Amino acid sequence: GRAQIGESAKLRLDFYGNSLGIIIENPVYGVGTGGFAKAYVAKAGPAAFVYTDNPHNEYLLLAVQLGLMGPLLLGALFVVAWKAAARLSPRDQHLLRALVVAMAGGCLFNSFLYDFTEGLFFAWAAGVLCSGLSGNVDKKTRPLQAA
C-alpha cells in the first residue's frame, strides 16, 4: 500500500543522496568499475537502513564508478545513436529514436545497463536497427571482383 510506496521513494532518495556524496568526493576518476557497493557501504555508514549494489540510476552509477566522464560518455552514446537514426528508413528512424528515449529515460530510475536484460536489449536492438548503415565508403569505387 501507501506505506510501501513511501518507503520505496525514501530508499531511492537515500541511494541518490549517498551516491551524490560519493561523486562529490571522487568527481574525476570515481571509485573504479565495480566499486559502487563498497563505496556505498563506507558512505552510508552503519546507521544505513539498507545497503545497495546500485543506486537505481544509471547516470549516478556511472559517475560513482568512472567519475563525471561516465555519464557524459553514456550521453554521447545516446547522441550518436540519435544522429545515426537520421540515416535510416522512416520506420527504423522512429524505432531507434524511441529506443534511445526509452533507455535515456529509464536510466533515470533504474540502472538499465547494469541490469543484464535491459543492457543486452539496448545493444541488440540498436545493432539490428543500424545493421544496414554503411561507414564512410566512397560510393564511386567498386569492390574487387573475384576472377
Side-chain angles (χ1 to χ4, degrees):
R2 266 178 215 258
Q4 292 173 340
I5 292 171
E7 288 300 315
S8 176
K10 183 179 180 290
L11 283 176
R12 284 185 183 247
L13 289 174
D14 228 23
F15 297 161
Y16 298 167
N18 286 323
S19 297
L20 287 172
I22 298 167
I23 294 165
I24 289 168
E25 294 169 1
N26 305 279
V28 178
Y29 298 111
V31 298
T33 305
F36 179 87
K38 183 177 177 184
Y40 189 87
V41 168
K43 183 68 178 171
F49 183 64
V50 171
Y51 296 116
T52 184
D53 63 349
N54 80 81
H56 297 39
N57 178 306
E58 190 69 42
Y59 306 105
L60 289 176
L61 179 62
L62 288 172
V64 166
Q65 294 184 104
L66 305 174
L68 295 175
M69 284 303 292
L72 290 175
L73 290 172
L74 178 59
L77 173 68
F78 292 151
V79 168
V80 167
W82 186 272
K83 286 185 175 189
R87 297 174 45 211
L88 298 172
S89 70
R91 181 188 68 112
D92 289 349
Q93 179 181 33
H94 294 310
L95 287 171
L96 182 56
R97 288 186 172 166
L99 177 66
V100 169
V101 168
M103 283 299 292
C107 284
L108 288 169
F109 306 104
N110 292 292
S111 301
F112 270 1
L113 298 179
Y114 179 75
D115 297 331
F116 177 77
T117 305
E118 292 85 353
L120 180 64
F121 175 73
F122 176 73
W124 177 82
V128 167
L129 290 168
C130 292
S131 64
L133 293 177
S134 61
N136 292 330
V137 177
D138 184 358
K139 300 201 187 285
K140 293 178 184 176
T141 62
R142 295 183 188 198
L144 294 176
Q145 304 220 353

